[in-house]
Amino acid sequence: MKEQNTKEHEERKTAEKYINDKYFEKGNFWLKFRQTVIVILGWMCFIIPIYWTLSATLFFNKKTLRTIWNYQEGRDLFYGFGRFFIIAFVVIALITIIFTIQNNYYTKHHTKKETKYDQERLLTRRNAMKDFYTEEFGQPEVRRSIKYYSVKPEQNLDSDTIREIYKEAEANK
């Protein structure tokens, strides 16, 4: 029980140290008032235009909703924009699909499929580096299992060490 209380106390101290929101603290009345008013105004700016548009267009025949405007031009404009956006979406989707198919075809049939590097040279260099790391720093399993390792000054590499290893490995090939 004592251990659990200690853990909860530590969590509370950490939360107090890193997480603070003056809105939820005691006091700060004007901050809470100002932020609440801003949030309410923001939601009103979001909801009122949606209600206005839907009540005058989609729900025009519903007697339970009060319509804000009654003009046929507004409904025509709303439905015209709706048709425009649907047609634009379909056209853009078709263009995207056609270009994707064309690009995939071009990539599959026209791009060169040869490697831009020498595979044998790469494997020779990779094996030379593996051998060097094993000689210098120990077996790979040991190296990868260590969480902290301090390099001795004599183990530091010169700036041209890797270049020399590559030259030697390619010469011995």
Side-chain angles (χ1 to χ4, degrees):
M1 185 72 166
K2 184 177 181 181
E3 183 178 302
Q4 184 179 6
N5 288 340
T6 306
K7 186 176 180 181
E8 288 175 3
H9 179 68
E10 288 177 13
E11 288 175 359
R12 200 174 314 115
K13 283 179 82 173
T14 304
E16 288 172 1
K17 184 176 180 182
Y18 294 109
I19 303 169
N20 59 355
D21 190 351
K22 292 183 179 181
Y23 187 88
F24 295 105
E25 293 176 1
K26 291 182 180 178
N28 304 321
F29 173 77
W30 290 110
L31 174 73
K32 291 178 185 180
F33 178 76
R34 186 179 73 235
Q35 286 187 356
T36 303
V37 168
I38 290 171
V39 167
I40 291 171
L41 287 174
W43 276 107
M44 287 173 61
C45 290
F46 177 72
I47 291 173
I48 289 174
I50 291 173
Y51 172 75
W52 188 340
T53 303
L54 293 179
S55 70
T57 55
L58 299 178
F59 305 127
F60 177 69
N61 294 328
K62 302 275 186 191
K63 300 297 181 196
T64 56
L65 291 176
R66 184 166 180 240
T67 305
I68 294 178
W69 47 270
N70 249 351
Y71 306 108
Q72 184 61 35
E73 295 87 11
R75 282 190 290 283
D76 292 342
L77 186 64
F78 174 78
Y79 291 120
F81 275 133
R83 277 187 236 105
F84 170 76
F85 285 126
I86 289 172
I87 292 169
F89 176 77
V90 169
V91 168
I92 290 172
L94 284 173
I95 290 171
T96 303
I97 291 169
I98 290 168
F99 281 164
T100 302
I101 291 170
Q102 179 192 11
N103 189 36
N104 290 345
Y105 177 82
Y106 182 82
T107 302
K108 185 175 183 181
H109 292 92
H110 295 289
T111 56
K112 292 183 179 181
K113 296 182 180 178
E114 60 192 49
T115 56
K116 302 290 183 195
Y117 58 89
D118 185 3
Q119 183 73 25
E120 289 181 32
R121 183 178 180 202
L122 175 70
L123 290 175
T124 302
R125 287 180 165 195
R126 187 180 292 165
N127 289 333
M129 289 307 297
K130 283 181 185 177
D131 294 341
F132 174 75
Y133 286 145
T134 302
E135 179 184 319
E136 218 33 54
F137 303 107
Q139 294 297 321
E141 298 81 26
V142 175
R143 289 194 318 253
R144 292 181 185 136
S145 66
I146 295 173
K147 293 188 191 277
Y148 176 78
Y149 181 75
S150 178
V151 177
K152 299 172 190 160
E154 58 269 6
Q155 287 180 311
N156 286 333
L157 303 178
D158 293 332
S159 59
D160 62 341
T161 303
I162 295 176
R163 189 177 313 116
E164 294 298 323
I165 293 170
Y166 286 165
K167 281 182 185 177
E168 185 180 319
E170 290 170 1
N172 292 337
K173 184 176 129 183

